[in-house]
Amino acid sequence: RLYPLREVGDDETMPIMGPGLGDSEKGWEVTGNPHSNFQARLWAQDCAIFVELKVEPRPAIVFRTLADTARDTYQLVGSFCDWRLAQAVEFTSPDPARPGLFAATFQMGQAYREEF
């Protein structure tokens, strides 16, 4: 599980942390209108991981790790899937021309917010 160092809203200078012990209660919260598309993009580059969050129509926010923590497989788990790994959204690699880029998309629920 990846998460921001502190609960920061949209502070792009906050580094990504995890996975690690004690991270089960940490994550991002995004807000938006019901049925707005939310896009989470995850990519690894130069031994760093980047997380880009975008709720339409607002601009994207990008966070990054400080250490070389890149991995090969990622899943997006959150309130949109009742925090169940079995219902997690798989990050896919949609663009073979951009190795290391992973993306996942889901719709905002009726509560106007999602956590992950």
Side-chain angles (χ1 to χ4, degrees):
R1 181 174 185 143
L2 301 176
Y3 55 90
L5 179 61
R6 291 187 302 273
E7 295 181 25
V8 295
D10 59 0
D11 181 357
E12 293 185 45
T13 64
M14 191 57 51
I16 298 170
M17 305 299 290
L21 297 175
D23 63 5
S24 64
E25 297 296 320
K26 299 176 183 174
W28 283 275
E29 178 180 297
V30 294
T31 59
N33 293 323
H35 308 293
S36 294
N37 283 329
F38 166 74
Q39 184 177 53
R41 296 175 68 197
L42 174 77
W43 73 93
Q45 178 180 340
D46 299 328
C47 297
I49 295 174
F50 296 82
V51 173
E52 179 183 274
L53 309 177
K54 178 174 178 30
V55 178
E56 294 176 350
R58 294 183 297 230
I61 301 166
V62 180
F63 301 87
R64 66 168 289 158
T65 59
L66 296 178
D68 52 345
T69 56
R71 305 281 188 259
D72 295 325
T73 305
Y74 301 96
Q75 294 174 312
L76 183 62
V77 180
S79 55
F80 57 90
C81 68
D82 293 326
W83 298 97
R84 295 183 187 151
L85 189 56
Q87 297 174 0
V89 176
E90 291 283 333
F91 277 98
T92 60
S93 186
D95 187 353
R98 295 181 67 190
L101 171 68
F102 299 87
T105 302
F106 65 89
Q107 287 190 344
M108 298 293 291
Q110 294 296 323
Y112 292 84
R113 62 181 277 240
E114 299 292 346
E115 295 179 21
F116 58 98

